[in-house]
Amino acid sequence: MGTTIMAASYDGGVVMGADSRTSTGSYIANRVTDKITSLTDSIYICRSGSAADTQNLSRYVTWFLEQHGQELGDEPAVQTAAKLAQMMAYQNKNFLQAGLIVAGWDKQEGGSVYAIPLGATLVKVPFTIGGSGSAYIYGLCDKLWRPNMSEEECRAFVIKAVGHAMARDGSSGGCIRTVTISKEGVKRTFTPGDLVPVAAGELPPPRRAPPVQA
Amino acid sequence: MLEQHSNRRTFPVDRHAGLAVAGVAADGRSIVGRAMAEANNYKSTYGEPIPGHVLAERLASYVHLFNLYWAYRPYGVASLLAVYAREGPQLYLVEPSGTMHRYFGAAVGKGRQGAKNEIEKLKLEEMTCREGINAVAKILHQVHDEEKGFELELAWICEESGKQFQRVPQQLADEADAAAKAALEAEDMDD
């Protein structure tokens, strides 16, 4: 998947964002992909690289976390989820193409973001971006991200950044999905392609078809 | 004739966990080895220190196995496991049968009955850790034969030790030892 994914922490939690394009060569195999997959109720993972590799890796991590939660008698920590994902990615690094971002909320640390890039290093970060589209928005994100944003500010930041990446990167596009995780729970937003803020001075999107009358 | 400190009964397991063992000393060391392996393994898989109840459960399951096969004999030790993890300070008692319970105060070994009686008299929830080592030292003296000497070994996990398992600093331990002896002598005089 040519992709743009990101996750950013704010005051009480994290916002994760992704475009929705999956392509096979120049053909868009899926224009409404969900690249933000759940690992537990309050931990999610952004996937980039091979769709098959990352889907299966995520399923394994979900399964390990389920077992771990059973033994712990409690919700697993985000750090644990990140560590398990990193171990799977590292032990199989010769066979995988996987760039991951693990983020979520737990009662020990609050909201946290972990980046697991291609070589399967594990880094805890305040925010991170990934996928082919991320190359275009490093400057933008370094300028716009700041600590202690509100939830709305943080989501607006994520949508803006992903929008800009989608404008420049040919392998990113479609819609913008976000997942917001905090003490209160999980919220999803969906920004349809024609409502993605025009970012790099492109032509306006084609008008929507009028609603079908019954 | 035994060299001092060559027959230790308390052992660190991880930064935040330690064991005190009573019974066959060699079996005790073997259990400590297993506990260290479990703690290490947990940390490297899950990225955080092993919680008390998980370590206690894993140790209990392990010793329980030795009751199940004719080729093995059960472990000859009861162990006290002290952990300071996310949930705060915890004390567990793991027995050779494979049972595991969490306690506010516990005692194992030959003098356990007397020691338990004394622990019941303490107001544990009002006690600081420093008062605790004095009380423990006193009880240990109380339940030992007066003629037969013994080595007093104290270890703690508390705020003061940085939530890490440590031997109680020598000076504090000596003070506790002296205070215990003095208190017991004073009690004898009263009789």
Side-chain angles (χ1 to χ4, degrees), chain B residues 12-155:
Chain B
V13 166
D14 199 343
R15 303 285 276 251
H16 71 302
L19 274 170
V21 293
V24 184
D27 284 14
R29 287 192 290 273
S30 152
I31 285 188
V32 170
R34 177 70 186 197
M36 290 168 89
E38 290 286 355
N40 255 318
N41 181 252
Y42 186 98
K43 178 114 198 255
S44 55
T45 356
Y46 299 117
E48 55 177 13
I50 190 167
H53 70 277
V54 175
L55 182 52
E57 253 164 39
R58 287 190 181 184
L59 277 184
S61 315
Y62 173 69
V63 294
H64 177 66
L65 287 178
F66 290 78
N67 293 281
L68 298 179
Y69 306 99
W70 66 265
Y72 294 122
R73 61 164 176 81
Y75 264 95
V77 282
S79 34
L80 294 172
L81 172 67
V83 184
Y84 204 131
R86 239 162 42 201
E87 301 79 8
Q90 298 154 300
L91 171 66
Y92 291 91
L93 167 56
V94 181
E95 281 171 294
S97 60
T99 57
M100 166 286 259
H101 292 289
R102 189 177 168 193
Y103 288 89
F104 288 108
V108 289
K110 202 173 165 194
R112 64 183 177 281
Q113 210 42 258
K116 279 188 206 168
N117 274 327
E118 293 304 313
I119 293 172
E120 288 208 353
K121 295 178 196 163
L122 302 173
K123 291 197 169 116
L124 292 169
E125 54 282 5
E126 294 166 21
M127 235 175 197
T128 66
C129 208
R130 280 195 178 223
E131 289 165 356
I133 55 175
N134 285 330
V136 167
K138 188 176 160 192
I139 293 173
L140 285 174
H141 273 289
Q142 240 168 328
V143 298
H144 271 87
D145 289 338
E146 273 184 36
E147 290 83 44
K148 205 173 153 196
F150 73 101
E151 243 180 67
L152 179 64
E153 199 180 325
L154 294 166

Side-chain angles (χ1 to χ4, degrees), chain A residues 68 71-72 79-80 83 108, chain B residues 42 44 46-47 53 58 86:
Chain A
H68 176 59
E71 187 179 29
L72 203 61
Q79 188 189 23
T80 302
K83 179 80 200 183
Q108 299 80 250
Chain B
Y42 186 98
S44 55
Y46 299 117
H53 70 277
R58 287 190 181 184
R86 239 162 42 201

